Structure formats: structure tokens, C-alpha cells
Amino acid sequence: MKNKIFIITIFLSVFIQAQETNLAPSVPVTEEHFGIKVIDDYRNLEDLNNPSTQQWMKSQTDYTNSILRKIPNWDNYLKLRTELDKKQGYSVSDLRITSNDKYFYLKRNAGEKTSKVYYRSGFAGKEELLYDPSNFVSANTNKAANHHEFIINVISPSWDGSRLAISLSEKGKEISEVIIMDVKSKSIHPEIITQLNPSTIGGIKWLGDNSGFFYVYYPDVDVKSSLFAKNTQTILYKIGEDPNKRNVVFSNLNNQDLKIKKEEYPAILTYDPKDQYYIGILVDAEDFRKTFIIDKKDLLSGKKNWKPLYNKDDKVFFLRVAGNEIYFLSALNSPNYKLCKTDLANPDFKNPEILVSEKKGEVLEGYSLTKDGIYYNTTKNGVEGKLYLLQDHKEIEIKLPFVSGNIDLSSKGKDFPDIWVKCSGWANVEQRYKYTLSTNTFTQENLAPILEYPEFKDVIVEEISVKSYDGTEVPLSLIYSKNLKKDGSAPVLMQGYGAFGESYSPFFAISYLSWASQGGIIAVPHVRGGGEKGAQWHVEGQKLKKPNSWKDLIACAEYLIDEKYTSSKKIGVWGASAGGILVGRAITERPDLFGVAIVESGVLNPLRVEKSGNGGTSIKEYGDPKDPNEFKGVLEMDAYQHIKKGGDYPAMLICAGINDPRVAPWQSSKFSAKALASNKSDKPILLDIDYEGGHGGDITVLKRYTSLSEIFAFAFWQLGHPNYQPKE
């Protein structure tokens, strides 16, 4: 044992000495905000074009990669996923079904890096390959995709399924190019539409006659530009037209009377080809949005007479138009939401007809309109799903095929009885069912094989509630082996988010099950800032109330220690994007609790977020640093500003993508640089910049499997798992 400790100590000593010789250059900037002095030690690292910055980021990344690959069994998860993919054969995603029963979906066979587009007529129809992204020739580079690895991130069939729009992007940039296919002939139109992002904003919305569609155009696609993702415009594109002659129909310049802000994304919603109106919505970081309406004929004839439909204070969510009626979820005086209806000709969103009242303890999450009634689903604490049918003013609970943590509904619309229900959970593979009301039966209609996983047969799920510092009950999901001994020795990996009202809903994650099967515990604290307990749960974890998020996480960590699941320094905490605030502030406020921290594309310096990616809209979630009151809240949540000289911090793996359009990679660089210069512990702090990636999406599965494999190996190494400790 002494020899083993000596070897590990030598390994770490060499590691620390190597990093200390390559600290980042520091050019401090001191500013005063509302009487508060703020020192930014590494403001210079925000200039990604500076050769000194580039050299430091690259050297840190090279060093990180060399260290990660020295961890024994670093590729365990990569090997596991490769084996399980071969066992399954293929996977299916992004299913789209037209009202005339044409199925379009993405399918990836085992061993393939990317998915291809497939088609079948009806669920039992013969499968046909429609499109392989390796055949794509980019309009920007005029080079074949096999040199660039383009990913298909959106497919959108026309209403009748005769045409298909396919969106492709590369290197995690999210900014897409779109091609159009005639489905019957499988021929691709020569025109390529560029500079859009349908996977995030607006989608691709077809005209009723299938002759074209709406999309959101980005005038500036340089992520380093101050105008990136600003002044976006909804474009009406007709098939065969020159895609560079953009017909703007909804934007701040085209509709100046609507006072659309440059940071807002004006998008058009469509629900049915027979609808008389178009809905225009201003997308931003908030739950509730300002919305307009216009007659279809007026918009298509070039008129600009949009009329207000509802405002943010109406608290409308999940809108659907059917004929002359508008259906929606309302959070007005009902934080758990109620299902409402109002008349399209004379809408009243403050006093609508209430179809389903707010339920105590259950959050109404979604609904689907059908000929038989309205199916809707609720969740308790974000982890216990229920399904209901509203028929003839009666609410009927429908028993699901199995206990489900997450439910997703889809239908063809109000004129059809068809309803599909997808169910999944932490330990349950997602399954897709068609529900038949007359016989009260669920029929499996999975497009991919459903496998048994004997590797994970001993993994169990425990849903509990933990009291936070102020007495608030916080849901906590635990995933671990039933053979676990509660002796304080288990390595714990906590993953959380807690922002933008997004719920961390249960899903079948082989990554989680893999960790649990190796003797670890996965913990998902459903902290304030998310939507697990309704709209108010979000409000209680944003802006000046944001400390609730990381204090909830800290309370969950302390609970796991008190109950002997684990012990101090045996807990790893993991977050991405806005989850960087959660992780960053947890480890800067209570570094004694955690042994490792992993942040992917994290918001770590929110005082500067307005200068970062789509930060202009994010200030509505975090707060405005230019506001004297909200500034205090933003400063409090800024993990970079809370790093203390001589702090005893846990090991860190800080990851970012150079092409990230949402959170600039310099946030990760600045945080890593300051942590390296300030940390007194002998724990490694690694910065990993992906020069072929962005915010984490739109990458090959091989790339993601490799990344997760490195993350788990790093965490297991630092939390003391014997299979991941360096040997002589």
C-alpha cells in the first residue's frame, strides 16, 4: 500500500509541477459597479484571436489529453457503449409522422458515426434509406461532407410528406445548412439555404400548400462577433427560389412597430395546413413570451399587419391552435399550470375557459388534441409521470404499461383518434406505444429493438426528498446497485442543471447505469431554478434567488454524507451550460464537500455573459449586470469571481468547444486559469478545449462516447475507485 501511495504521489507531483510552469498570462482589469470594485484577473483571455491566449489554451488542452489517456481503463465506457451498440444493431431518433401516415426518422447502425434519414409508409411499411449526410456538399466550402463530418440535426417533412427539409451542421457549430428533397424521386434540389439554426430556434415550418417554409435567419454567424445571433429574421422561402434573396416577413427591421429587440428571435408557429392564421412569437430565455397573430393571406401577400395576441404577463405556455380555438397551458395564478381554451376571434387569456384545473402536487407538462378528447400528462417532483384523458368534461386517469418517470405525447391532431405515448425512466428503456381508447390497450410500436441489459440487473432507483437550508423539500433521484453498502465509501457523481425552468426528467442513461454498476452512486438533485415543481420552482432559483440552486445541491450532498451513502471528498459534481453556475458556486462555497468537479460548456463568469454567445437573452435568466439591484445577484452567482487565493479546491475537468455559439469558451479558460493560479491543493485542474466541437450537441456518437469515457475515468480516478488508479 505504501508503494502504491508513493507512486500516485510522484504522478501527481510531476503533474502539478508541469502545470505550475505554464500558468496563463494575466492582464487584470479593475472596474467599479454601483460602488463595488470588481477585479477581473484574466480579462485578456477573452480575446480568442490573441496568439498568447491561443497558445495557452492549446498547451493546456494537449496536457489534459495526455493526462486523461494515462488513467488506467480510461476507455471503459467507450468499450461498453460500442459493445452495446453492436448488440442492439441500430438506434432511431427524431421521428416525424405526417397526417397521411408517412414516417420519417433518423437511424444510426452500429459502427456508424452519424445517423441517416429513413422513410416508411405507415408503421409496418418497408423501410427506405432517403439520405446519407456523407453525400452532402456544403455551400460554404464546396467540399464533400466526408471531409467534415456533417451531422443531421433536424428533419422536417412537408404536410403531405412529398418533400423533406434536412438541416445539417458541422463541428458543433449549430448554425446549419438546409437542403430540400423530393421524397418520391429522392432527388435533392440544387438550392442550399444557409445561416439558420432550426435545431434551436424556430424550426422549419411548412406552408399549407407545401410550396415552401419559414425559417429563422442569422445575419451574422461569426460566434466571435458582437452581432452574432442578433437581429435575426423569419424568412419565407419558396422552393426553387434563390435562397440568398431572402424574403423577410417577421423581424425588428421589417416590423418596427412591434418593437422587437435585437436579442429576441422572431419565429413563426404553424399547427395545421388549414389554419387561417399564423402565430408570431418572440423567443428569448424566459418561460413566457410576447406573441402576435396575422391572417395567412395578409402575410403571404406581403402585408405587415401583425396584431398582439398575448403578453408575457398572461403567462401562456404550450400554445396550440385548432380551428377557431386556442388551447394553452396557463401559469396565471397557477404555478403548476392549468389547461385552458379561448376563442381565436376574440381571445381572452386572463379569463379563459378552464378545461383542467391546477392539480396539487402535480405539474401539468403537456397535452395532445385528438378526436376522442385531450390527452394530457403530469409529473410529480419531475420524476413520476401520470397520463389522463379529458373527454366530455370528465378527467380519466389512464394506467401506463409501466411506472414511468417521463412521458411524451404525440398525435396527428384533433381530426384523428391516433395517440402515441413514449414512456421512460432512469432504469427503463424508452418505449413507444400506440394507445387504443376503445379497448384501453397499449400496443408497442418501437422503431428500434428493445433490449434487456443483464449488465445492469442489480441497479435500483430511489426517489427521495431532502430538506434544503431553508426547509424547502428538494427532490433527489438516486441510482445505485442494490448491493451497495452504506458505509460512506461509495463514489458519488451528482449531475444537475437548475435553470431556465428546465426539468431534469428521468431518461434511460446507460452512462448512469454504468457508473452505478461499478459501485458508484448517481445523484440528480432537482434544485430550484428548474421546472420540476412548476413555474414558481423556476422563479425561486433565478436572478437574486439563484443561491437557492447551489444551496439545494449542497444540502443534497450533506444528506448523502449524513446517511452514510458516501463521505466528504467522495462526491463529484457535474454540470453543463447554465449548470456551470450550479457546479461552480457549489465548489467555491463548499470546496470541503467535493472531490471532483466537471463542467462542460459552463457559464462560469456570468458578469460577462452579455459578451458571450447568446448572453443577450440569458440576462433575463441570470439578471442584468447593468441594473444596480440585479448586479448583486449576478456577482453572487459568478463562480470565477468567487475563486479565492489559497483555496483548497477539488480536482476539476473544465471542458468547452471552440465553436460554441451559446457560451464562449473563454468562460472556461478564465475560470481554469484563475483556479490554477489560486488553488493550494494538489488536485489537478484540467482545461480541455474541443477544437472540433461547440456546445456539446451536433457531434458524432463516437466523439460523445469518448468524452463521457474520459469524464467518468477522471471522476473515478479522483474519487478513489481502485480500477482507475495509476500504476507503476
Side-chain angles (χ1 to χ4, degrees):
M1 176 60 74
K2 289 182 179 179
N3 188 44
K4 184 177 179 182
I5 293 172
F6 173 75
I7 291 166
I8 294 173
T9 302
I10 292 296
F11 179 78
L12 287 173
S13 297
V14 172
F15 176 90
I16 297 299
Q17 290 168 15
Q19 277 204 309
E20 285 178 348
T21 62
N22 192 23
L23 295 179
S26 172
V27 183
V29 172
T30 301
E31 297 173 332
E32 187 169 306
H33 301 269
F34 312 109
I36 300 173
K37 183 183 290 185
V38 177
I39 301 173
D40 190 342
D41 291 308
Y42 293 93
R43 177 73 61 85
N44 52 299
L45 294 184
E46 293 182 13
D47 182 4
L48 297 178
N49 294 317
N50 186 304
S52 175
T53 298
Q54 293 176 343
Q55 187 279 329
W56 184 78
M57 290 170 61
K58 186 68 167 60
S59 67
Q60 289 296 303
T61 298
D62 290 343
Y63 194 71
T64 294
N65 291 334
S66 71
I67 293 298
L68 293 177
R69 295 304 171 91
K70 289 177 182 175
I71 302 171
N73 301 308
W74 76 266
D75 57 352
N76 268 0
Y77 181 72
L78 173 61
K79 289 178 179 177
L80 173 67
R81 284 312 307 257
T82 302
E83 290 171 4
L84 292 180
D85 280 1
K86 288 179 181 177
K87 182 179 176 182
Q88 184 172 33
Y90 62 90
S91 59
V92 170
S93 62
D94 207 24
L95 174 65
R96 299 287 183 266
I97 306 175
T98 61
S99 61
N100 55 356
D101 218 29
K102 294 181 179 180
Y103 281 56
F104 298 86
Y105 51 93
L106 297 179
K107 176 181 173 182
R108 186 185 64 82
N109 292 307
E112 292 180 337
K113 291 183 178 181
T114 60
S115 299
K116 302 171 185 176
V117 184
Y118 288 81
Y119 160 82
R120 63 174 72 176
S121 180
F123 173 72
K126 181 182 177 182
E127 182 179 82
E128 296 180 44
L129 172 64
L130 282 187
Y131 189 72
D132 183 342
S134 66
N135 296 323
F136 177 61
V137 178
S138 170
N140 294 324
T141 63
N142 202 31
K143 292 181 180 179
N146 53 21
H147 295 290
H148 293 273
E149 286 188 343
F150 275 81
I151 304 293
I152 299 173
N153 53 21
V154 169
I155 55 173
S156 179
S158 58
W159 296 105
D160 62 0
S162 64
R163 287 169 168 158
L164 180 70
I166 303 171
S167 169
L168 304 103
S169 65
E170 63 168 337
K171 298 180 181 178
K173 293 178 181 177
E174 298 183 10
I175 300 300
S176 304
E177 299 179 62
V178 168
I179 57 175
I180 300 112
M181 168 183 279
D182 284 322
V183 175
K184 187 174 182 180
S185 65
K186 299 183 183 178
S187 60
I188 302 292
H189 287 253
E191 299 83 13
I192 299 178
I193 302 168
T194 59
Q195 296 185 216
L196 63 162
N197 184 6
S199 63
T200 302
I201 301 293
I204 295 171
K205 305 298 185 183
W206 285 87
L207 299 176
D209 63 1
N210 309 295
S211 65
F213 49 78
F214 300 103
Y215 70 90
V216 175
Y217 166 64
Y218 284 55
D220 192 330
V221 294
D222 180 2
V223 295
K224 298 176 183 177
S225 168
S226 61
L227 293 176
F228 171 73
K230 294 182 174 63
N231 300 310
T232 56
Q233 308 162 353
T234 288
I235 305 294
L236 168 56
Y237 177 71
K238 290 292 192 74
I239 307 298
E241 292 181 346
D242 180 354
N244 295 313
K245 295 180 179 178
R246 305 185 196 260
N247 179 16
V248 182
V249 294
F250 190 33
S251 74
N252 56 0
L253 295 176
N254 191 64
N255 309 92
Q256 295 185 19
D257 58 313
L258 302 182
K259 296 180 172 57
I260 301 172
K261 297 177 182 178
K262 64 181 180 180
E263 297 88 3
E264 294 174 323
Y265 301 84
I268 288 179
L269 306 179
T270 58
Y271 303 100
D272 188 278
K274 300 188 294 291
D275 284 343
Q276 182 183 346
Y277 297 93
Y278 286 126
I279 307 297
I281 188 167
L282 303 184
V283 180
D284 58 21
E286 295 184 316
D287 293 333
F288 312 114
R289 290 154 180 173
K290 192 173 183 179
T291 305
F292 305 90
I293 189 169
I294 192 171
D295 190 286
K296 277 188 175 181
K297 293 179 181 178
D298 288 348
L299 182 70
L300 297 177
S301 64
K303 294 182 180 179
K304 303 179 181 181
N305 53 335
W306 289 93
K307 297 178 181 177
L309 184 60
Y310 56 82
N311 290 308
K312 292 190 175 195
D313 59 4
D314 289 316
K315 295 191 175 181
V316 172
F317 191 68
F318 205 130
L319 183 81
R320 293 290 182 268
V321 175
N324 296 317
E325 297 171 324
I326 299 176
Y327 296 82
F328 61 99
L329 299 182
S330 172
L332 193 64
N333 302 316
S334 50
N336 284 359
Y337 295 101
K338 56 198 174 198
L339 177 60
C340 304
K341 182 176 73 171
T342 189
D343 184 65
L344 185 60
N346 188 27
D348 185 348
F349 293 97
K350 284 192 164 57
N351 297 287
E353 179 183 349
I354 299 174
L355 303 177
V356 177
S357 299
E358 181 184 29
K359 293 179 181 295
K360 185 179 181 180
E362 294 179 49
V363 178
L364 209 166
E365 282 204 322
Y367 63 92
S368 275
L369 308 176
T370 72
K371 190 175 183 179
D372 293 329
I374 304 175
Y375 292 87
Y376 67 94
N377 61 292
T378 67
T379 183
K380 180 181 179 181
N381 291 336
V383 297
E384 182 183 333
K386 290 185 179 181
L387 176 63
Y388 298 87
L389 170 64
L390 178 67
Q391 186 182 57
D392 299 327
H393 305 289
K394 296 180 181 178
E395 297 178 43
I396 306 165
E397 184 174 354
I398 300 171
K399 186 178 180 181
L400 294 166
F402 60 87
V403 175
S404 180
N406 191 27
I407 301 171
D408 183 60
L409 304 176
S410 59
S411 68
K412 292 182 178 179
K414 201 174 182 183
D415 298 330
F416 303 88
D418 308 75
I419 182 74
W420 289 271
V421 183
K422 285 197 294 188
C423 302
S424 62
W426 298 120
N428 299 108
V429 180
E430 181 179 272
Q431 299 201 44
R432 179 174 175 267
Y433 298 91
K434 187 170 185 178
Y435 177 69
T436 304
L437 177 62
S438 59
T439 58
N440 188 30
T441 55
F442 288 88
T443 305
Q444 284 191 351
E445 287 197 355
N446 298 300
L447 293 178
I450 301 298
L451 298 182
E452 297 291 333
Y453 292 91
E455 303 91 341
F456 309 131
K457 62 181 176 60
D458 291 333
V459 174
I460 60 173
V461 177
E462 185 180 4
E463 301 290 358
I464 58 179
S465 187
V466 174
K467 279 191 177 182
S468 192
Y469 75 102
D470 60 354
T472 300
E473 295 286 341
V474 179
L476 175 64
S477 300
L478 299 177
I479 305 166
Y480 57 90
S481 171
K482 66 181 182 182
N483 301 315
L484 181 86
K485 294 180 180 179
K486 294 183 182 179
D487 58 4
S489 66
V492 172
L493 190 57
M494 303 182 77
Q495 185 168 29
Y497 186 69
F500 295 100
E502 294 289 334
S503 298
Y504 211 119
S505 302
F507 66 103
F508 185 74
I510 291 177
S511 56
Y512 287 175
L513 300 177
S514 167
W515 180 277
S517 67
Q518 295 180 74
I521 299 173
I522 289 289
V524 180
H526 302 279
V527 302
R528 279 173 279 188
E532 287 88 344
K533 297 178 80 169
Q536 191 60 33
W537 196 248
H538 174 207
V539 172
E540 293 299 319
Q542 67 174 168
K543 295 187 176 180
L544 290 170
K545 294 183 177 181
K546 188 62 185 171
N548 286 333
S549 297
W550 64 82
K551 290 179 185 296
D552 288 350
L553 183 145
I554 288 169
C556 289
E558 291 176 327
Y559 172 87
L560 293 175
I561 294 169
D562 293 342
E563 296 298 317
K564 306 299 182 183
Y565 286 91
T566 189
S567 56
S568 179
K569 298 294 188 179
K570 297 285 288 185
I571 301 175
V573 60
W574 178 21
S577 194
I581 295 174
L582 181 69
V583 172
R585 285 299 284 116
I587 64 171
T588 49
E589 183 159 311
R590 289 293 305 277
D592 57 300
L593 284 180
F594 306 103
V596 66
I598 295 138
V599 181
E600 298 181 277
S601 304
V603 177
L604 294 162
N605 186 200
L607 272 181
R608 300 285 293 165
V609 77
E610 193 174 0
K611 308 294 182 183
S612 166
N614 60 1
T617 60
S618 296
I619 62 172
K620 295 182 178 181
E621 172 71 13
Y622 310 137
D624 188 352
K626 297 175 183 176
D627 179 276
N629 190 41
E630 292 188 353
F631 166 80
K632 297 175 184 177
V634 181
L635 177 60
E636 181 60 25
M637 71 180 73
D638 194 306
Y640 169 74
Q641 288 294 337
H642 279 80
I643 297 173
K644 298 177 181 177
K645 195 71 175 176
D648 190 3
Y649 296 112
M652 302 181 200
L653 177 58
I654 311 297
C655 309
I658 199 68
N659 299 316
D660 194 334
R662 306 192 207 184
V663 181
W666 51 254
Q667 292 220 26
S668 296
S669 296
K670 288 175 67 177
F671 183 85
S672 300
K674 190 173 182 181
L676 273 169
S678 304
N679 194 23
K680 76 173 184 180
S681 81
D682 59 358
K683 297 293 186 180
I685 296 174
L686 304 182
L687 173 65
D688 188 8
I689 303 295
D690 183 357
Y691 289 91
E692 296 289 323
H695 197 64
D698 296 351
I699 57 174
T700 65
V701 292
L702 177 61
K703 197 176 188 68
R704 186 54 182 162
Y705 289 172
T706 301
S707 175
L708 286 173
S709 201
E710 292 173 341
I711 285 171
F712 293 155
F714 179 75
F716 269 138
W717 168 35
Q718 290 300 312
L719 298 179
H721 194 291
N723 294 345
Y724 295 86
Q725 302 309 308
K727 296 183 176 123
E728 187 174 8

